[in-house]
Amino acid sequence: MLKEGLKIVLSGPSGSGKGTIVKELIKNETFVLSVSATTRMPRQGEEEGIHYFFKTKDEFCEMIKGEQLLEYAVFCDNYYGTPKSFIDECVENGKDVILEIEVQGAAQVKAIYPEAIFIFVIPPSLAELQNRLVGRNTETGDVIKKRLERAKEELYLYKEYDYVIINDNIVRAADYIEKIVCAEKLKSSRFEQAIETMLNYQGGY
Ligand code: 5GP
């Protein structure tokens, strides 16, 4: 148990800055990001296998049928899902794997892995969220409107998460997450095996 990495689920409204926090976190090599599959079109600068595995709807449905996804959801008219095998591999190798996913997917992960850490990222205000969505210039006005409506629906669900991070400063937000992960790793429940080994120690005396 002690050697296993943690599964960290990061949710929060589109534009809350989860992606930028993840970029900051993975500078530390114990963290890895789970790369999702999506039917959304790539944005400028997004690369296959780095930001997403870009799929057609048919390909995505095949992944669902083949039980290749840990969870999946429809978000603003597109499918998004987490490939299963990568998560298991990372955790077994002691890596802390970050799933940057929306709320429906997070609920599915909670049902399968209740021991995962659930962190909800929020913007300082909805006005700020709107500014960020408009400022990043990656979506049309219609999509921004949808994402803002969806943001309110997601905010209702904050209590489903173990922690809430207000993202008013990327470095601080990432630092808080590192501290949360550190505290989680020191939980007594993770020491069962190590303590048992000590208790079984006979020694030479
Ligand atoms: P975007 O289109 O902005 O990249 O992502 C839209 C939303 O989908 C974000 O809230 C993002 O966290 C979420 N998302 C990305 N990958 C996954 C996934 O594998 N599963 C689920 N359920 N949501 C995802």
Side-chain angles (χ1 to χ4, degrees), residues 18 36 40 43 52 71 80-82 100-102 147:
K18 299 175 301 250
S36 298
R40 163 165 85 56
R43 293 180 185 137
Y52 280 108
E71 60 73 35
Y80 294 82
T82 304
E100 192 222 305
I101 63 179
E102 54 68 70
R147 285 186 178 231

Side-chain angles (χ1 to χ4, degrees), residues 66-111:
E67 298 185 356
Q68 294 171 37
L69 299 175
L70 173 65
E71 60 73 35
Y72 69 93
V74 175
F75 180 92
C76 293
D77 306 328
N78 284 301
Y79 283 90
Y80 294 82
T82 304
K84 234 185 235 176
S85 53
F86 182 71
I87 306 286
D88 296 336
E89 197 183 301
C90 289
V91 170
E92 277 163 26
N93 290 325
K95 297 277 186 188
D96 299 319
V97 60
I98 305 169
L99 285 74
E100 192 222 305
I101 63 179
E102 54 68 70
V103 293
Q104 306 165 78
Q108 294 170 47
V109 175
K110 199 170 190 177

